[in-house]
mmCIF file with all atom_site columns, all heavy atoms in Angstrom:
data_model
loop_
_atom_site.group_PDB
_atom_site.id
_atom_site.type_symbol
_atom_site.label_atom_id
_atom_site.label_alt_id
_atom_site.label_comp_id
_atom_site.label_asym_id
_atom_site.label_entity_id
_atom_site.label_seq_id
_atom_site.pdbx_PDB_ins_code
_atom_site.Cartn_x
_atom_site.Cartn_y
_atom_site.Cartn_z
_atom_site.occupancy
_atom_site.B_iso_or_equiv
_atom_site.pdbx_formal_charge
_atom_site.auth_seq_id
_atom_site.auth_comp_id
_atom_site.auth_asym_id
_atom_site.auth_atom_id
_atom_site.pdbx_PDB_model_num
ATOM   1   N N   . GLY A 1 22  ? 18.174 -4.828  -10.008 1.00 93.00 ? 285 GLY A N   1
ATOM   2   C CA  . GLY A 1 22  ? 17.100 -4.300  -10.802 1.00 93.00 ? 285 GLY A CA  1
ATOM   3   C C   . GLY A 1 22  ? 16.044 -3.530  -10.059 1.00 93.00 ? 285 GLY A C   1
ATOM   4   O O   . GLY A 1 22  ? 15.260 -2.745  -10.623 1.00 93.00 ? 285 GLY A O   1
ATOM   5   N N   . TYR A 1 23  ? 15.962 -3.788  -8.747  1.00 96.00 ? 286 TYR A N   1
ATOM   6   C CA  . TYR A 1 23  ? 14.983 -2.987  -7.921  1.00 96.00 ? 286 TYR A CA  1
ATOM   7   C C   . TYR A 1 23  ? 15.570 -1.576  -7.646  1.00 96.00 ? 286 TYR A C   1
ATOM   8   O O   . TYR A 1 23  ? 16.716 -1.371  -7.815  1.00 96.00 ? 286 TYR A O   1
ATOM   9   C CB  . TYR A 1 23  ? 14.764 -3.752  -6.595  1.00 96.00 ? 286 TYR A CB  1
ATOM   10  C CG  . TYR A 1 23  ? 13.798 -4.898  -6.711  1.00 96.00 ? 286 TYR A CG  1
ATOM   11  C CD1 . TYR A 1 23  ? 14.230 -6.177  -7.031  1.00 96.00 ? 286 TYR A CD1 1
ATOM   12  C CD2 . TYR A 1 23  ? 12.434 -4.690  -6.554  1.00 96.00 ? 286 TYR A CD2 1
ATOM   13  C CE1 . TYR A 1 23  ? 13.408 -7.253  -7.180  1.00 96.00 ? 286 TYR A CE1 1
ATOM   14  C CE2 . TYR A 1 23  ? 11.508 -5.778  -6.699  1.00 96.00 ? 286 TYR A CE2 1
ATOM   15  C CZ  . TYR A 1 23  ? 12.049 -7.051  -7.046  1.00 96.00 ? 286 TYR A CZ  1
ATOM   16  O OH  . TYR A 1 23  ? 11.145 -8.134  -7.169  1.00 96.00 ? 286 TYR A OH  1
ATOM   17  N N   . HIS A 1 24  ? 14.693 -0.707  -7.190  1.00 96.00 ? 287 HIS A N   1
ATOM   18  C CA  . HIS A 1 24  ? 15.144 0.634   -6.759  1.00 96.00 ? 287 HIS A CA  1
ATOM   19  C C   . HIS A 1 24  ? 15.200 0.758   -5.305  1.00 96.00 ? 287 HIS A C   1
ATOM   20  O O   . HIS A 1 24  ? 14.319 0.312   -4.581  1.00 96.00 ? 287 HIS A O   1
ATOM   21  C CB  . HIS A 1 24  ? 14.157 1.643   -7.414  1.00 96.00 ? 287 HIS A CB  1
ATOM   22  C CG  . HIS A 1 24  ? 14.244 1.787   -8.815  1.00 96.00 ? 287 HIS A CG  1
ATOM   23  N ND1 . HIS A 1 24  ? 13.673 0.840   -9.693  1.00 96.00 ? 287 HIS A ND1 1
ATOM   24  C CD2 . HIS A 1 24  ? 14.883 2.672   -9.681  1.00 96.00 ? 287 HIS A CD2 1
ATOM   25  C CE1 . HIS A 1 24  ? 13.938 1.120   -10.955 1.00 96.00 ? 287 HIS A CE1 1
ATOM   26  N NE2 . HIS A 1 24  ? 14.694 2.260   -10.985 1.00 96.00 ? 287 HIS A NE2 1
ATOM   27  N N   . ALA A 1 25  ? 16.326 1.399   -4.770  1.00 95.00 ? 288 ALA A N   1
ATOM   28  C CA  . ALA A 1 25  ? 16.395 1.658   -3.392  1.00 95.00 ? 288 ALA A CA  1
ATOM   29  C C   . ALA A 1 25  ? 15.534 2.865   -3.203  1.00 95.00 ? 288 ALA A C   1
ATOM   30  O O   . ALA A 1 25  ? 15.664 3.821   -3.871  1.00 95.00 ? 288 ALA A O   1
ATOM   31  C CB  . ALA A 1 25  ? 17.863 1.877   -3.047  1.00 95.00 ? 288 ALA A CB  1
ATOM   32  N N   . LEU A 1 26  ? 14.668 2.823   -2.168  1.00 96.00 ? 289 LEU A N   1
ATOM   33  C CA  . LEU A 1 26  ? 13.760 3.918   -1.939  1.00 96.00 ? 289 LEU A CA  1
ATOM   34  C C   . LEU A 1 26  ? 13.675 4.306   -0.455  1.00 96.00 ? 289 LEU A C   1
ATOM   35  O O   . LEU A 1 26  ? 14.150 3.495   0.408   1.00 96.00 ? 289 LEU A O   1
ATOM   36  C CB  . LEU A 1 26  ? 12.355 3.624   -2.508  1.00 96.00 ? 289 LEU A CB  1
ATOM   37  C CG  . LEU A 1 26  ? 11.696 2.305   -2.092  1.00 96.00 ? 289 LEU A CG  1
ATOM   38  C CD1 . LEU A 1 26  ? 11.053 2.447   -0.728  1.00 96.00 ? 289 LEU A CD1 1
ATOM   39  C CD2 . LEU A 1 26  ? 10.690 1.916   -3.136  1.00 96.00 ? 289 LEU A CD2 1
ATOM   40  N N   . SER A 1 98  ? -0.565 -6.731  -2.214  1.00 98.00 ? 361 SER A N   1
ATOM   41  C CA  . SER A 1 98  ? 0.431  -6.957  -1.158  1.00 98.00 ? 361 SER A CA  1
ATOM   42  C C   . SER A 1 98  ? -0.257 -7.045  0.205   1.00 98.00 ? 361 SER A C   1
ATOM   43  O O   . SER A 1 98  ? 0.186  -7.789  1.072   1.00 98.00 ? 361 SER A O   1
ATOM   44  C CB  . SER A 1 98  ? 1.433  -5.760  -1.180  1.00 98.00 ? 361 SER A CB  1
ATOM   45  O OG  . SER A 1 98  ? 2.012  -5.677  -2.403  1.00 98.00 ? 361 SER A OG  1
ATOM   46  N N   . LEU A 1 128 ? 7.351  -12.259 -1.233  1.00 97.00 ? 391 LEU A N   1
ATOM   47  C CA  . LEU A 1 128 ? 6.132  -12.129 -2.077  1.00 97.00 ? 391 LEU A CA  1
ATOM   48  C C   . LEU A 1 128 ? 6.003  -10.805 -2.783  1.00 97.00 ? 391 LEU A C   1
ATOM   49  O O   . LEU A 1 128 ? 5.397  -10.713 -3.822  1.00 97.00 ? 391 LEU A O   1
ATOM   50  C CB  . LEU A 1 128 ? 4.916  -12.368 -1.229  1.00 97.00 ? 391 LEU A CB  1
ATOM   51  C CG  . LEU A 1 128 ? 4.802  -13.776 -0.564  1.00 97.00 ? 391 LEU A CG  1
ATOM   52  C CD1 . LEU A 1 128 ? 3.718  -13.792 0.546   1.00 97.00 ? 391 LEU A CD1 1
ATOM   53  C CD2 . LEU A 1 128 ? 4.367  -14.787 -1.643  1.00 97.00 ? 391 LEU A CD2 1
ATOM   54  N N   . GLY A 1 129 ? 6.640  -9.759  -2.202  1.00 97.00 ? 392 GLY A N   1
ATOM   55  C CA  . GLY A 1 129 ? 6.522  -8.436  -2.845  1.00 97.00 ? 392 GLY A CA  1
ATOM   56  C C   . GLY A 1 129 ? 7.148  -7.329  -2.010  1.00 97.00 ? 392 GLY A C   1
ATOM   57  O O   . GLY A 1 129 ? 7.186  -7.517  -0.785  1.00 97.00 ? 392 GLY A O   1
ATOM   58  N N   . SER A 1 130 ? 7.662  -6.307  -2.630  1.00 97.00 ? 393 SER A N   1
ATOM   59  C CA  . SER A 1 130 ? 8.355  -5.274  -1.944  1.00 97.00 ? 393 SER A CA  1
ATOM   60  C C   . SER A 1 130 ? 7.500  -4.560  -0.843  1.00 97.00 ? 393 SER A C   1
ATOM   61  O O   . SER A 1 130 ? 8.029  -4.081  0.171   1.00 97.00 ? 393 SER A O   1
ATOM   62  C CB  . SER A 1 130 ? 8.873  -4.200  -2.868  1.00 97.00 ? 393 SER A CB  1
ATOM   63  O OG  . SER A 1 130 ? 9.682  -4.795  -3.871  1.00 97.00 ? 393 SER A OG  1
ATOM   64  N N   . ASP A 1 131 ? 6.192  -4.426  -1.051  1.00 97.00 ? 394 ASP A N   1
ATOM   65  C CA  . ASP A 1 131 ? 5.354  -3.734  -0.119  1.00 97.00 ? 394 ASP A CA  1
ATOM   66  C C   . ASP A 1 131 ? 4.851  -4.553  1.034   1.00 97.00 ? 394 ASP A C   1
ATOM   67  O O   . ASP A 1 131 ? 4.291  -4.040  1.992   1.00 97.00 ? 394 ASP A O   1
ATOM   68  C CB  . ASP A 1 131 ? 4.119  -3.111  -0.895  1.00 97.00 ? 394 ASP A CB  1
ATOM   69  C CG  . ASP A 1 131 ? 4.436  -1.944  -1.714  1.00 97.00 ? 394 ASP A CG  1
ATOM   70  O OD1 . ASP A 1 131 ? 5.543  -1.313  -1.510  1.00 97.00 ? 394 ASP A OD1 1
ATOM   71  O OD2 . ASP A 1 131 ? 3.584  -1.513  -2.512  1.00 97.00 ? 394 ASP A OD2 1
ATOM   72  N N   . GLY A 1 145 ? 15.308 0.449   1.779   1.00 95.00 ? 408 GLY A N   1
ATOM   73  C CA  . GLY A 1 145 ? 15.756 -0.684  1.000   1.00 95.00 ? 408 GLY A CA  1
ATOM   74  C C   . GLY A 1 145 ? 14.908 -0.780  -0.247  1.00 95.00 ? 408 GLY A C   1
ATOM   75  O O   . GLY A 1 145 ? 14.561 0.255   -0.862  1.00 95.00 ? 408 GLY A O   1
ATOM   76  N N   . ARG A 1 146 ? 14.496 -1.996  -0.657  1.00 95.00 ? 409 ARG A N   1
ATOM   77  C CA  . ARG A 1 146 ? 13.523 -2.093  -1.749  1.00 95.00 ? 409 ARG A CA  1
ATOM   78  C C   . ARG A 1 146 ? 12.139 -2.183  -1.192  1.00 95.00 ? 409 ARG A C   1
ATOM   79  O O   . ARG A 1 146 ? 11.107 -2.296  -1.894  1.00 95.00 ? 409 ARG A O   1
ATOM   80  C CB  . ARG A 1 146 ? 13.789 -3.301  -2.669  1.00 95.00 ? 409 ARG A CB  1
ATOM   81  C CG  . ARG A 1 146 ? 13.754 -4.670  -2.015  1.00 95.00 ? 409 ARG A CG  1
ATOM   82  C CD  . ARG A 1 146 ? 13.687 -5.746  -3.029  1.00 95.00 ? 409 ARG A CD  1
ATOM   83  N NE  . ARG A 1 146 ? 12.345 -6.243  -3.258  1.00 95.00 ? 409 ARG A NE  1
ATOM   84  C CZ  . ARG A 1 146 ? 11.926 -7.473  -2.974  1.00 95.00 ? 409 ARG A CZ  1
ATOM   85  N NH1 . ARG A 1 146 ? 12.800 -8.364  -2.428  1.00 95.00 ? 409 ARG A NH1 1
ATOM   86  N NH2 . ARG A 1 146 ? 10.689 -7.842  -3.165  1.00 95.00 ? 409 ARG A NH2 1
ATOM   87  N N   . GLY A 1 147 ? 12.003 -2.080  0.187   1.00 95.00 ? 410 GLY A N   1
ATOM   88  C CA  . GLY A 1 147 ? 10.727 -2.110  0.843   1.00 95.00 ? 410 GLY A CA  1
ATOM   89  C C   . GLY A 1 147 ? 10.730 -3.019  2.070   1.00 95.00 ? 410 GLY A C   1
ATOM   90  O O   . GLY A 1 147 ? 9.857  -3.034  2.879   1.00 95.00 ? 410 GLY A O   1
ATOM   91  N N   . THR A 1 172 ? 3.358  -1.100  -12.459 1.00 96.00 ? 435 THR A N   1
ATOM   92  C CA  . THR A 1 172 ? 4.478  -0.726  -11.530 1.00 96.00 ? 435 THR A CA  1
ATOM   93  C C   . THR A 1 172 ? 5.847  -0.857  -12.199 1.00 96.00 ? 435 THR A C   1
ATOM   94  O O   . THR A 1 172 ? 6.623  0.121   -12.144 1.00 96.00 ? 435 THR A O   1
ATOM   95  C CB  . THR A 1 172 ? 4.400  -1.546  -10.268 1.00 96.00 ? 435 THR A CB  1
ATOM   96  O OG1 . THR A 1 172 ? 3.092  -1.369  -9.685  1.00 96.00 ? 435 THR A OG1 1
ATOM   97  C CG2 . THR A 1 172 ? 5.423  -1.101  -9.197  1.00 96.00 ? 435 THR A CG2 1
ATOM   98  N N   . PRO A 1 173 ? 6.171  -1.987  -12.832 1.00 96.00 ? 436 PRO A N   1
ATOM   99  C CA  . PRO A 1 173 ? 7.512  -2.111  -13.462 1.00 96.00 ? 436 PRO A CA  1
ATOM   100 C C   . PRO A 1 173 ? 7.713  -1.009  -14.530 1.00 96.00 ? 436 PRO A C   1
ATOM   101 O O   . PRO A 1 173 ? 8.780  -0.463  -14.666 1.00 96.00 ? 436 PRO A O   1
ATOM   102 C CB  . PRO A 1 173 ? 7.503  -3.501  -14.071 1.00 96.00 ? 436 PRO A CB  1
ATOM   103 C CG  . PRO A 1 173 ? 6.456  -4.285  -13.433 1.00 96.00 ? 436 PRO A CG  1
ATOM   104 C CD  . PRO A 1 173 ? 5.468  -3.266  -12.968 1.00 96.00 ? 436 PRO A CD  1
ATOM   105 N N   . TYR A 1 176 ? 8.444  2.389   -12.796 1.00 97.00 ? 439 TYR A N   1
ATOM   106 C CA  . TYR A 1 176 ? 9.814  2.407   -12.262 1.00 97.00 ? 439 TYR A CA  1
ATOM   107 C C   . TYR A 1 176 ? 10.855 2.488   -13.361 1.00 97.00 ? 439 TYR A C   1
ATOM   108 O O   . TYR A 1 176 ? 11.878 3.238   -13.261 1.00 97.00 ? 439 TYR A O   1
ATOM   109 C CB  . TYR A 1 176 ? 10.095 1.085   -11.405 1.00 97.00 ? 439 TYR A CB  1
ATOM   110 C CG  . TYR A 1 176 ? 9.742  1.284   -9.915  1.00 97.00 ? 439 TYR A CG  1
ATOM   111 C CD1 . TYR A 1 176 ? 8.489  0.876   -9.421  1.00 97.00 ? 439 TYR A CD1 1
ATOM   112 C CD2 . TYR A 1 176 ? 10.586 1.935   -9.004  1.00 97.00 ? 439 TYR A CD2 1
ATOM   113 C CE1 . TYR A 1 176 ? 8.115  0.989   -8.125  1.00 97.00 ? 439 TYR A CE1 1
ATOM   114 C CE2 . TYR A 1 176 ? 10.236 2.090   -7.688  1.00 97.00 ? 439 TYR A CE2 1
ATOM   115 C CZ  . TYR A 1 176 ? 9.044  1.629   -7.269  1.00 97.00 ? 439 TYR A CZ  1
ATOM   116 O OH  . TYR A 1 176 ? 8.719  1.789   -5.908  1.00 97.00 ? 439 TYR A OH  1
HETATM 117 O O1  . C5P B 2 .   ? 8.313  -6.311  -5.440  1.00 96.73 ? 252 C5P B O1  1
HETATM 118 P P1  . C5P B 2 .   ? 7.163  -6.174  -6.377  1.00 96.73 ? 252 C5P B P1  1
HETATM 119 O O2  . C5P B 2 .   ? 6.854  -7.432  -7.157  1.00 96.73 ? 252 C5P B O2  1
HETATM 120 O O3  . C5P B 2 .   ? 5.934  -5.574  -5.801  1.00 96.73 ? 252 C5P B O3  1
HETATM 121 O O4  . C5P B 2 .   ? 7.658  -5.078  -7.451  1.00 96.73 ? 252 C5P B O4  1
HETATM 122 C C1  . C5P B 2 .   ? 7.014  -4.908  -8.704  1.00 96.73 ? 252 C5P B C1  1
HETATM 123 C C2  . C5P B 2 .   ? 7.991  -4.221  -9.604  1.00 96.73 ? 252 C5P B C2  1
HETATM 124 O O5  . C5P B 2 .   ? 8.180  -2.872  -9.215  1.00 96.73 ? 252 C5P B O5  1
HETATM 125 C C3  . C5P B 2 .   ? 9.358  -4.755  -9.672  1.00 96.73 ? 252 C5P B C3  1
HETATM 126 O O6  . C5P B 2 .   ? 9.421  -5.842  -10.620 1.00 96.73 ? 252 C5P B O6  1
HETATM 127 C C4  . C5P B 2 .   ? 10.195 -3.593  -10.105 1.00 96.73 ? 252 C5P B C4  1
HETATM 128 O O7  . C5P B 2 .   ? 10.047 -3.405  -11.473 1.00 96.73 ? 252 C5P B O7  1
HETATM 129 C C5  . C5P B 2 .   ? 9.446  -2.434  -9.413  1.00 96.73 ? 252 C5P B C5  1
HETATM 130 N N1  . C5P B 2 .   ? 10.124 -2.100  -8.128  1.00 96.73 ? 252 C5P B N1  1
HETATM 131 C C6  . C5P B 2 .   ? 11.344 -1.472  -8.108  1.00 96.73 ? 252 C5P B C6  1
HETATM 132 N N2  . C5P B 2 .   ? 11.905 -1.147  -6.913  1.00 96.73 ? 252 C5P B N2  1
HETATM 133 C C7  . C5P B 2 .   ? 11.228 -1.357  -5.739  1.00 96.73 ? 252 C5P B C7  1
HETATM 134 C C8  . C5P B 2 .   ? 9.977  -1.924  -5.792  1.00 96.73 ? 252 C5P B C8  1
HETATM 135 C C9  . C5P B 2 .   ? 9.432  -2.286  -6.978  1.00 96.73 ? 252 C5P B C9  1
HETATM 136 O O8  . C5P B 2 .   ? 11.981 -1.280  -9.139  1.00 96.73 ? 252 C5P B O8  1
HETATM 137 N N3  . C5P B 2 .   ? 11.801 -0.974  -4.583  1.00 96.73 ? 252 C5P B N3  1
#
Side-chain angles (χ1 to χ4, degrees):
Y286 282 89
H287 291 76
L289 53 81
S361 304
L391 295 164
S393 304
D394 284 344
R409 62 167 260 245
T435 304
Y439 271 97

